[in-house]
Amino acid sequence: MAPHFTIAQASALIAARKLSPVELTQICLERTAKLDPKINAFILHTPERALAEARAAEARVMAGRARGPLDGIPIAHKDIYCTKGLPTTAHSKLLQDHVPETDARTVTMLDDAGTVMLGKLSTHEFAMGGPSFDLPWPPARNPWNPEHGPSGSSSGTGAGVAAGLFLGGTGSDTGGSIRGPAAFCGVAGIKPTYGLCSRMGILPLSFTLDHAGPLAWTAEDCAMLLQAMAGYDPADPASANRPVPDFRSDLHKGAKGLRIGVIRNFHETDNPANPAVCAAIDDAIAFYKSEGALISDVTLPSLEDYRAAGFLILITEAFAVHEPWLRTRYNDYGELLRDRLALGGLTSSADYIQATRRRHELCRQTAAAMENVDLLLTTASPTEAPKIEGIPKWSSMEKPGFTMPFNLTGLPAISVCSGYGEGGLPLSIQLVGKAFQEQTVFRAAHAYETATKWRDRRPPMAR
């Protein structure tokens, strides 16, 4: 099979005129034709558009007018990102014929950077209902083993990046929907600080928890994509009006001197991780210690506290978004999403206010716990990816997850691959920074990735 490239590698080769954007796009399209029928990463393929954009990128490069390091890089968009003139379905029957008249702000920004769009990607229905088998399109599957799920809701993005169908893609994260697929698919995915990326033109789920961000094979690649996606947008009320830093500026500084707090209560007590995940965390701690990082234990409130507040806020705000359709098109939703949304209609205003109050307390407690550290270290998932069949409808209520705390607090958090467990399925660590300190998050993640061998291994079907 054709070689795999990271965004950083392909960018350097394109700049040196040793790799053609057209050739790179053709590699991705050929791999998609071969592998996507097994993993269902795409809802919509746009090969003609992709080749036209690749030819335009190649012409710019040859004329010395390249738009930057992403010019000619093949990507794809989660199908809640609006795309002008192309269907944006949210993987739902309700929007099966929905064709936006404008692009999402981040789609425009990535287009302006010269990226080549290969199509639209599978998601859990409206970024909440999945994996579902009663929708117009099948759910995405995990390329490491298609009998297993890729997590969600940015399922197609995680699966497609892992299989090498494209070099990076967009995702959204309301309770873990970037970091979950990154963890289960063995790729990198960052939920940036709340407000860093515009959500204008991205179909909403929860106004106070939604984040936009990228997934790619490496942390460095995520930094390159985030560079193009970040920036103030007055059309998004939550957008942060602040300068965008160079997210790769600290990549090569290594881990020496970083103060890293390990949240042991998360993976040892609150939701005990399996032995493979715990061993991967311990190995990461040993690596950072060997590099001169300062490691300490940090105790945060229970995962259950974050889950209780976050879940109630999420389902209440999601119900508010979907209430008009629930009244008129209830049976057009898939069963999973329909039932999950309906639960939000049973919460009271007092419930929501109390959850919001508790959220503020958890934000203060988290900030206090991070006062003397630069980063937090935990996992994004306590296990490898489960089988896709039979995932419980209320799985998020059975055990608290490791990602919701950082949606509630809005802090930047990245999931990167930390090895492979049972059946060769990926494991993860999660690194969390202080608000708007993405450079430090990328620095620590890049140091770990370049010192380990995990980025050299691709899913068997993609080799």
Side-chain angles (χ1 to χ4, degrees), residues 181-233:
F184 282 177
C185 296
V187 304
I190 186 165
K191 180 199 74 63
T193 306
Y194 185 76
L196 185 66
C197 293
S198 171
R199 300 166 304 171
M200 191 65 186
I202 301 173
L203 300 175
L205 178 61
S206 169
F207 293 114
T208 70
L209 294 172
D210 289 348
H211 299 65
L215 295 91
W217 188 245
T218 67
E220 180 177 18
D221 289 357
C222 285
M224 295 175 72
L225 289 170
L226 186 61
Q227 198 70 55
M229 295 175 69
Y232 175 59
D233 180 6

Side-chain angles (χ1 to χ4, degrees), residues 6-7 10 21 24-25 28-29 32 42 44-47 49-51 53-54 69-78 81 83 86 106-121 156-157 160-161 164-171 213-217 221-222 224-226 228-229:
T6 68
I7 293 176
L24 180 59
T25 299
C28 291
L29 292 175
T32 297
F42 280 92
L44 174 71
H45 297 97
T46 56
R49 171 174 172 162
L51 287 169
E53 291 179 347
L70 293 180
D71 210 352
I73 299 297
I75 69 166
H77 294 295
K78 182 177 182 177
Y81 280 66
T83 44
L86 290 175
T106 43
V107 170
T108 298
M109 296 168 82
L110 286 163
D111 283 349
D112 290 346
T115 58
V116 173
M117 191 182 80
L118 271 63
K120 305 297 291 294
L121 301 170
T157 314
V161 168
L165 309 189
F166 40 88
L167 276 62
T170 53
L215 295 91
W217 188 245
D221 289 357
C222 285
M224 295 175 72
L225 289 170
L226 186 61
M229 295 175 69

Side-chain angles (χ1 to χ4, degrees), residues 250-292:
D250 293 347
L251 272 188
H252 301 289
K253 290 184 177 180
K256 185 176 182 180
L258 288 175
R259 301 171 301 165
I260 301 176
V262 181
I263 320 172
R264 293 193 182 275
N265 64 293
F266 276 15
H267 66 271
E268 292 182 357
T269 306
D270 300 344
N271 185 359
N274 72 19
V277 172
C278 289
I281 293 172
D282 290 341
D283 288 346
I285 292 169
F287 160 74
Y288 284 118
K289 281 183 177 179
S290 71
E291 292 295 301

Side-chain angles (χ1 to χ4, degrees), residues 219-220 223-224 227 245-256 258 288 374-375 436-448 450:
E220 180 177 18
M224 295 175 72
Q227 198 70 55
D246 179 356
F247 294 120
R248 289 198 286 171
S249 62
D250 293 347
L251 272 188
H252 301 289
K253 290 184 177 180
K256 185 176 182 180
L258 288 175
Y288 284 118
D374 304 307
L375 296 159
F436 300 105
Q437 295 301 309
E438 276 77 9
Q439 301 104 300
T440 304
V441 174
F442 286 129
R443 172 187 169 186
H446 182 72
Y448 175 78
T450 54

Side-chain angles (χ1 to χ4, degrees), residues 105 134 152 161 224 388 406 450:
R105 173 61 179 154
D134 58 351
V161 168
M224 295 175 72
I388 194 170
F406 311 111
T450 54

Side-chain angles (χ1 to χ4, degrees), residues 23-379:
E23 177 187 2
L24 180 59
T25 299
Q26 287 172 333
I27 289 172
C28 291
L29 292 175
E30 290 168 6
R31 189 174 279 122
T32 297
K34 180 177 181 180
L35 299 181
D36 196 48
K38 303 175 185 178
I39 61 173
N40 307 318
F42 280 92
I43 283 181
L44 174 71
H45 297 97
T46 56
E48 296 83 5
R49 171 174 172 162
L51 287 169
E53 291 179 347
R55 287 190 287 268
E58 183 173 288
R60 291 191 296 269
V61 171
M62 297 306 293
R65 295 185 288 103
R67 294 179 179 177
L70 293 180
D71 210 352
I73 299 297
I75 69 166
H77 294 295
K78 182 177 182 177
D79 202 31
I80 63 167
Y81 280 66
C82 287
T83 44
K84 181 180 179 180
L86 290 175
T88 299
T89 71
H91 210 125
S92 178
K93 180 180 178 181
L94 275 87
L95 295 184
Q96 197 164 358
D97 300 317
H98 173 235
V99 180
E101 296 181 356
T102 58
D103 284 327
R105 173 61 179 154
T106 43
V107 170
T108 298
M109 296 168 82
L110 286 163
D111 283 349
D112 290 346
T115 58
V116 173
M117 191 182 80
L118 271 63
K120 305 297 291 294
L121 301 170
S122 300
T123 173
H124 287 178
E125 187 178 16
F126 283 102
M128 186 180 178
S132 297
F133 297 88
D134 58 351
L135 303 177
W137 305 270
R141 291 177 177 267
N142 196 316
W144 294 92
N145 185 336
E147 292 184 4
H148 291 250
S151 188
S153 62
S154 306
S155 47
T157 314
V161 168
L165 309 189
F166 40 88
L167 276 62
T170 53
S172 65
D173 194 312
T174 305
S177 291
I178 288 173
R179 291 157 293 155
F184 282 177
C185 296
V187 304
I190 186 165
K191 180 199 74 63
T193 306
Y194 185 76
L196 185 66
C197 293
S198 171
R199 300 166 304 171
M200 191 65 186
I202 301 173
L203 300 175
L205 178 61
S206 169
F207 293 114
T208 70
L209 294 172
D210 289 348
H211 299 65
L215 295 91
W217 188 245
T218 67
E220 180 177 18
D221 289 357
C222 285
M224 295 175 72
L225 289 170
L226 186 61
Q227 198 70 55
M229 295 175 69
Y232 175 59
D233 180 6
D236 179 352
S239 184
N241 188 0
R242 55 187 295 136
V244 176
D246 179 356
F247 294 120
R248 289 198 286 171
S249 62
D250 293 347
L251 272 188
H252 301 289
K253 290 184 177 180
K256 185 176 182 180
L258 288 175
R259 301 171 301 165
I260 301 176
V262 181
I263 320 172
R264 293 193 182 275
N265 64 293
F266 276 15
H267 66 271
E268 292 182 357
T269 306
D270 300 344
N271 185 359
N274 72 19
V277 172
C278 289
I281 293 172
D282 290 341
D283 288 346
I285 292 169
F287 160 74
Y288 284 118
K289 281 183 177 179
S290 71
E291 292 295 301
L294 306 174
I295 307 296
S296 61
D297 289 348
V298 170
T299 301
L300 262 59
S302 169
L303 277 175
E304 188 59 57
D305 287 350
Y306 292 101
R307 191 265 294 270
F311 181 74
L312 198 147
I313 291 170
L314 193 162
I315 62 169
T316 306
E317 294 187 356
F319 179 82
V321 170
H322 286 271
E323 182 184 14
W325 279 333
L326 287 168
R327 292 184 181 278
T328 59
R329 299 185 63 184
Y330 185 78
N331 289 320
D332 285 339
Y333 287 97
E335 178 186 344
L336 283 182
L337 181 61
R338 183 173 66 226
D339 290 355
R340 290 169 182 172
L341 289 173
L343 184 61
L346 302 177
T347 60
S348 69
S349 57
D351 294 332
Y352 181 77
I353 292 300
Q354 291 289 11
T356 302
R357 181 188 62 79
R358 183 66 180 127
R359 179 184 194 174
H360 292 314
E361 293 175 349
L362 290 167
C363 286
R364 289 194 296 270
Q365 290 169 321
T366 304
M370 293 186 71
E371 187 173 350
N372 296 315
V373 298
D374 304 307
L375 296 159
L376 298 174
L377 171 64
T378 181
T379 181

